């Protein structure tokens, strides 16, 4: 069976800085892939390339066997319909109420009537453990953990086939981080969706990922089953998963 | 010494041309999006309220005092030549052709252009614009086009109101301070006013409305670097919109009135 997401030879540079240097990655349908790596190693760039928010310099990105790199507006919108995305900071629209944020995709992109979309939004808020009363609040009135939950509800509101998670637990306390991890596992499993997450939180990676790939200096230096990461045999991976200061990995100074 | 100077000039020229190219490309993309569905009517109405309705107090205040000052200044100059009767004519022509559209647009550029750049800039740095894209919503159609349409539609209405309020300001000073006969003042104003005076002002207003929205959206959309980037975008939006208003004012005036 062909993979849901397939990347071949994806490269991306910003001026002289080569951020992605020939990425090959396959994600099977229903699989949860986690890409780990230190800050500034190109994880976000990789995610943005797959999402179509950034165009790679070279290489192929296929979704359901359809090449997406050079898609024009119409075709891109069709592919986007398959996607849901949880942004690192939530990226909730601060001028809209919580329920309007969750119902944004159904109303604006799918043409659902506001009353119907509101019910969908309240149901999705329920899926992430939030009551209907939260729907009337504005994002600025919510805590960081609550905002992440709302952002997750928005990401699953259109029942996407593929969900992307950008640093889903960053900035949260360990308990709330675990709650978010559980919700991610539950939502992905309920929808039967394929998931791609980027994180440097190993607890999160172990919990939400079926497979893990490690990005270092623009290349995927290791990928395999989550259960195998502790015996990867790669010094870079070992240093990263144990969070050691000493080892072959040198910290990135400049932001990409 | 001459080589670094030439290099500097070359770099500045390239940067200037690059900026023109970037703004033109942004404007063309926005115009292309404006002619293809979907159109977000609620967003357009919201922006019309934001640009038009909420700008009325500041535009009205500017217009009334401009009309009043114009009447006073004209009087002190014209009295030397016993030409006081021309004051209503000067007030109405100055306001409809130049001061109404230019001053109202500059005030709106300060109020609305800055707000647009700040709002869209914040959306950019907090990834809300990327979020729109992932929700299958074209950010140009959702954010930029409604603001451009609202700018083009609302500025002429604002300027028309500014013209009326400005003339009223001149009338108040003329009648209550300079002892003009109220009927004669109004008669002079109406008789001297030509369709072209008002029409040219409204055309200017529509162009200025487009420029204000374009600069607000462009600088916000392309902002980067967090809070500092949004601050810079806001300043650039106001400065560039003001400079473009004054530049285009000359060319539109020449197109209408040059012999």
């Amino acid at each position: 069976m062909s993979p849901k997401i397939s990347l071949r030879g994806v490269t991306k540079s910003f001026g002289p800085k080569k951020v992605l240097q020939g990425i090959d990655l396959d994600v099977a349908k229903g699989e949860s892939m986690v890409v780990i790596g230190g800050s500034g190693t190109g994880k976000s760039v990789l995610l943005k390339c797959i999402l179509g928010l950034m165009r790679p310099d070279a290489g192929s990105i296929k979704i359901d066997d359809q090449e997406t790199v050079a898609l024009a507006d119409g075709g891109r919108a069709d592919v986007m319909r398959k996607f849901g995305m949880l942004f690192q900071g939530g990226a909730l629209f601060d001028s809209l109420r919580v329920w309007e944020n969750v119902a944004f995709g159904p109303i604006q992109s799918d043409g659902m009537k506001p009353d119907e979309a509101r019910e969908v939004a309240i149901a999705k808020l329920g899926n992430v453990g939030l009551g209907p009363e939260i729907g009337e609040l504005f994002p600025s009135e919510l805590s960081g953990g609550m905002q992440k939950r709302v952002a997750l509800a928005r990401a699953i509101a259109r029942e996407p086939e593929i969900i992307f998670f950008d640093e889903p637990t960053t900035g949260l306390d360990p308990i709330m981080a675990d709650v978010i991890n559980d919700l991610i596992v539950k939502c992905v499993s309920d929808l039967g969706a394929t998931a791609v997450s980027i994180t440097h939180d190993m607890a999160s990676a172990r919990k939400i990922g079926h497979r893990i790939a490690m990005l270092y200096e623009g290349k995927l230096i290791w990928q395999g089953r989550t259960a195998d990461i502790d015996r990867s045999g790669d010094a870079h991976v070992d240093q990263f998963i144990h969070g050691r200061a000493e080892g072959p990995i040198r910290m990135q100074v400049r932001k990409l | 010494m001459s080589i670094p100077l030439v290099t500097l000039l070359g770099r500045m020229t390239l940067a200037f041309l690059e900026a023109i190219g970037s703004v033109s490309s942004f404007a063309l993309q926005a115009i292309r999006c404006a002619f293809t569905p979907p159109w977000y009517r609620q967003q357009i109405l919201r922006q019309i309220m934001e640009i038009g309705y909420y700008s009325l107090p500041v535009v009205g205040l500017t217009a009334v005092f401009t009309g009043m000052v114009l009447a006073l200044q004209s009087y002190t100059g014209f009295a030397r030549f016993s030409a006081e009767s021309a004051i209503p004519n000067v007030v109405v022509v100055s306001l409809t052709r130049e001061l109404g559209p230019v001053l109202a647009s500059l005030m709106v550029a300060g109020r609305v252009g800055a707000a647009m750049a700040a709002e869209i800039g914040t959306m950019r740095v907090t990834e809300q614009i990327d979020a729109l894209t992932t929700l299958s919503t074209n950010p140009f159609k959702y954010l930029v086009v409604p603001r451009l349409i609202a700018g083009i539609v609302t500025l002429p209405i604002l300027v028309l109101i500014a013209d009326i309020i400005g003339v009223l300001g001149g009338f108040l000073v003329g009648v209550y301070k300079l002892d003009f006969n109220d009927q004669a003042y109004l008669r002079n104003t109406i008789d001297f006013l030509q369709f072209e005076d008002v029409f040219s002002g409204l055309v200017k207003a529509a162009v200025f409305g487009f420029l204000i929205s374009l600069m607000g959206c462009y600088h916000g959309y392309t902002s980067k670097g967090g809070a500092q980037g949004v601050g810079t975008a806001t300043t650039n939006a106001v400065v560039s919109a003001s400079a473009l208003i004054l530049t285009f004012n000359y060319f539109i005036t020449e197109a209408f009135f040059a012999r």
Side-chain angles (χ1 to χ4, degrees), chain A residues 48 51 53 73 77 80-81 83 85 87-89 91-96 104-105 108-109 154 158 166, chain B residues 32-33 38 40 42-43 46 119 122-123 126-138 141-142:
Chain A
K48 285 182 178 177
L51 272 164
L53 298 174
D73 289 357
M80 281 294 181
R81 178 66 190 82
F83 294 165
M85 168 76 182
F87 286 87
Q88 185 176 351
L92 297 172
F93 306 126
D94 41 26
S95 59
L96 302 180
F104 189 93
Q108 303 294 354
S109 309
R154 186 176 69 180
R158 299 167 77 197
D166 182 0
Chain B
R32 189 172 62 87
C33 287
Y40 295 97
Q42 276 205 321
Q43 286 297 309
R46 193 183 140 216
E119 186 179 354
T122 305
M123 290 184 75
T126 56
E127 296 186 304
Q128 290 179 50
I129 292 180
D130 287 343
L132 278 176
T133 308
T134 63
L135 292 164
S136 309
T137 303
N138 184 330
K141 290 184 182 183
Y142 188 77

Side-chain angles (χ1 to χ4, degrees), chain A residues 146-168:
Chain A
M146 288 287 204
Q147 287 189 15
K148 276 269 161 71
R149 287 188 193 214
V150 174
L152 179 57
R154 186 176 69 180
I156 60 170
R158 299 167 77 197
E159 304 195 343
E161 296 173 30
I162 304 169
I163 313 179
F164 298 90
F165 300 97
D166 182 0
E167 309 275 10

Side-chain angles (χ1 to χ4, degrees), chain A residues 32-210:
Chain A
S32 177
M33 166 65 77
V34 178
V35 179
I36 58 170
S39 302
T41 50
K43 301 190 299 295
S44 292
V45 174
L46 176 64
L47 204 63
K48 285 182 178 177
C49 285
I50 303 173
L51 272 164
L53 298 174
M54 215 175 253
R55 191 170 177 160
D57 299 332
S60 156
I61 299 174
K62 288 182 179 173
I63 307 291
D64 287 328
D65 277 336
Q66 183 190 6
E67 182 58 57
T68 62
V69 169
L71 276 181
D73 289 357
R76 172 63 61 190
D78 289 341
V79 173
M80 281 294 181
R81 178 66 190 82
K82 298 179 180 181
F83 294 165
M85 168 76 182
L86 172 65
F87 286 87
Q88 185 176 351
L92 297 172
F93 306 126
D94 41 26
S95 59
L96 302 180
R97 292 181 188 279
V98 163
W99 81 263
E100 290 170 319
N101 264 281
V102 179
F104 189 93
I107 293 175
Q108 303 294 354
S109 309
D110 303 339
M112 194 182 280
K113 289 196 165 52
D115 287 345
E116 194 184 341
R118 189 189 183 114
E119 301 216 340
V120 169
I122 287 168
K124 297 298 174 191
L125 286 171
N127 288 354
V128 297
L130 298 175
E133 70 283 0
I134 301 293
E136 295 305 315
L137 302 176
F138 283 95
S140 58
E141 298 176 89
L142 303 177
S143 67
M146 288 287 204
Q147 287 189 15
K148 276 269 161 71
R149 287 188 193 214
V150 174
L152 179 57
R154 186 176 69 180
I156 60 170
R158 299 167 77 197
E159 304 195 343
E161 296 173 30
I162 304 169
I163 313 179
F164 298 90
F165 300 97
D166 182 0
E167 309 275 10
T169 55
T170 297
L172 301 178
D173 65 73
I175 297 170
M176 184 54 82
D178 201 46
V179 170
I180 295 292
N181 287 335
D182 285 340
L183 283 171
I184 288 172
V185 172
K186 177 178 169 287
C187 291
V188 171
S189 153
D190 288 351
L191 288 172
T194 305
V196 178
S197 314
I198 59 172
T199 185
H200 47 228
D201 175 357
M202 280 314 298
S204 177
R206 288 177 195 275
K207 189 146 200 174
I208 64 179
H210 298 143

